[in-house]
Amino acid sequence: MEAATKPTVLPPKPARSGDRLLETLLYIWAAVVLLIVVYPLYFIVIASFSDPSAVGNGKVWLLPSGFTLDGYKELLKHANIWIGYRNTILYTVVGTAIGLTVNVSAGYALSRRDLAGRKAISLFFIFTMFFNGGLIPTFLTIRDFHLYDTFLVMVLPFSVAVFDIIVARTFFRTSIPAELWEAAQLDGCGNLRFYVLIVLPLSKAVVSVLALWFAVGQWNAYFNALIYLQNKNLFPLQLILRDILITNQMQTALGTGEAAQIALRLANLLRYSVIIVSTLPIMCVYPFVQKYFNKGVMIGAVKE
């Protein structure tokens, strides 16, 4: 009996010089793009700890020059900054929860082929992406619904995002097989139970991406607060920081002599400190959802 012959394993082909050159160029290009994107953020960080005169003279490149914490000390002297943090955190958490509930649910409903009038409802949503009533009708509507100058005006009227609904609908249509719903029906599972217990656990990618989008949008929201809020106890962090900068600039303009120079120095420090204080918390959230980000965006936005 002849011994079984082992299959011949061919050695991997060596990379051609042209491929290696292209790969090297791509790595260099990626490094340049990364430097262009990251360095301005890094510069803001080191400038917030540097002497403003050194920053203005171009002496700050890689490390802080004339290390100082005066900008942060001056910023934290304002007690209302903690009110702004509290409000922004509440707006972000509540607004993200409402936005996810509304948009993910709407996306799932529109992905179901047995939904009556599905195409008409989709067209109605898409129509609002291109045409809207404008600022004044929106303001009058919010006022008539008694939402003006309330907590809900920051989280409720603008919770529907049609683009996010389309992303969620496409994800559900391409990632949740119809056979799964048929199998659940045989076990006596209803629509709501199927959506909560089966669909949502399988949709962590798109839910995480939409949560990040909503959280970033709510954290950075300032225009709606500027238009629809008057009570400073409801102001988000962005408006509080804006008021601090404006007050400091007015003091700089009205001051004279040494007092004006000190105010100008603090104003220059505050510009960088404000950016760090307002962006650092939301940037810390990104690493926790980064693993879902690419998958959720590509599946939800490209495939159809």
Side-chain angles (χ1 to χ4, degrees):
M1 190 176 198
E2 296 182 359
T5 57
K6 294 182 179 180
T8 304
V9 179
L10 298 177
K13 294 182 179 180
R16 293 179 296 181
S17 58
D19 294 338
R20 287 196 297 268
L21 177 60
L22 178 60
E23 185 176 357
T24 303
L25 292 176
L26 289 176
Y27 275 118
I28 294 174
W29 173 248
V32 172
V33 172
L34 180 65
L35 181 63
I36 293 174
V37 173
V38 172
Y39 181 75
L41 301 176
Y42 175 72
F43 176 79
I44 291 173
V45 173
I46 61 176
S48 67
F49 294 104
S50 300
D51 188 344
S53 59
V55 177
N57 294 330
K59 296 180 180 179
V60 177
W61 286 91
L62 296 177
L63 295 174
S65 178
F67 185 85
T68 178
L69 294 175
D70 290 346
Y72 294 98
K73 291 178 181 178
E74 180 67 21
L75 193 60
L76 296 179
K77 285 181 182 178
H78 299 268
N80 53 358
I81 194 173
W82 304 113
I83 298 176
Y85 258 120
R86 180 201 65 189
N87 293 336
T88 297
I89 292 172
L90 288 175
Y91 293 147
T92 301
V93 173
V94 177
T96 301
I98 294 176
L100 284 177
T101 302
V102 171
N103 293 278
V104 174
S105 300
Y108 171 70
L110 293 175
S111 71
R112 290 285 298 272
R113 301 188 184 278
D114 56 345
L115 175 66
R118 177 171 56 90
K119 292 184 178 180
I121 297 174
S122 297
L123 289 175
F124 175 78
F125 278 125
I126 293 173
F127 179 83
T128 63
M129 294 181 67
F130 303 99
F131 303 96
N132 61 76
L135 180 60
I136 294 177
T138 303
F139 179 88
L140 296 176
T141 301
I142 288 176
R143 185 197 63 183
D144 292 343
F145 275 95
H146 305 289
L147 294 175
Y148 180 75
D149 204 22
T150 65
F151 175 86
L152 290 177
V153 76
M154 292 295 294
V155 298
L156 194 59
F158 308 98
S159 58
V160 176
V162 178
F163 177 79
D164 296 339
I165 292 176
I166 295 174
V167 170
R169 181 196 66 180
T170 307
F171 178 89
F172 290 131
R173 187 180 295 175
T174 57
S175 302
I176 306 298
E179 293 78 10
L180 195 60
W181 164 238
E182 295 173 0
Q185 279 184 306
L186 294 176
D187 292 334
C189 185
N191 281 294
L192 182 59
R193 189 177 180 185
F194 175 73
Y195 172 65
V196 174
L197 298 182
I198 299 178
V199 173
L200 288 182
L202 296 175
S203 308
K204 291 181 180 179
V206 72
V207 171
S208 299
V209 171
L210 295 183
L212 179 64
W213 289 351
F214 278 115
V216 172
Q218 285 289 344
W219 185 273
N220 294 325
Y222 73 94
F223 183 75
N224 291 337
L226 193 63
I227 300 298
Y228 303 115
L229 291 180
Q230 283 188 333
N231 185 356
K232 290 191 175 182
N233 289 326
L234 294 175
F235 277 8
L237 178 64
Q238 283 69 27
L239 285 192
I240 298 293
L241 296 177
R242 169 183 173 270
D243 289 346
I244 292 174
L245 286 177
I246 291 176
T247 302
N248 191 266
Q249 289 174 357
M250 290 177 61
Q251 292 175 352
T252 302
L254 296 175
T256 57
E258 186 178 353
Q261 293 296 324
I262 295 174
L264 179 61
R265 180 177 181 274
L266 287 176
N268 292 330
L269 280 173
L270 279 174
R271 286 187 301 175
Y272 299 109
S273 303
V274 162
I275 296 174
I276 300 301
V277 168
S278 61
T279 59
L280 184 61
I282 197 65
M283 289 179 66
C284 294
V285 176
Y286 180 79
F288 296 99
V289 296
Q290 190 271 340
K291 62 180 180 180
Y292 300 111
F293 192 79
N294 292 337
K295 181 181 177 183
V297 170
M298 296 303 294
I299 293 178
V302 176
K303 293 184 180 178
E304 179 61 59

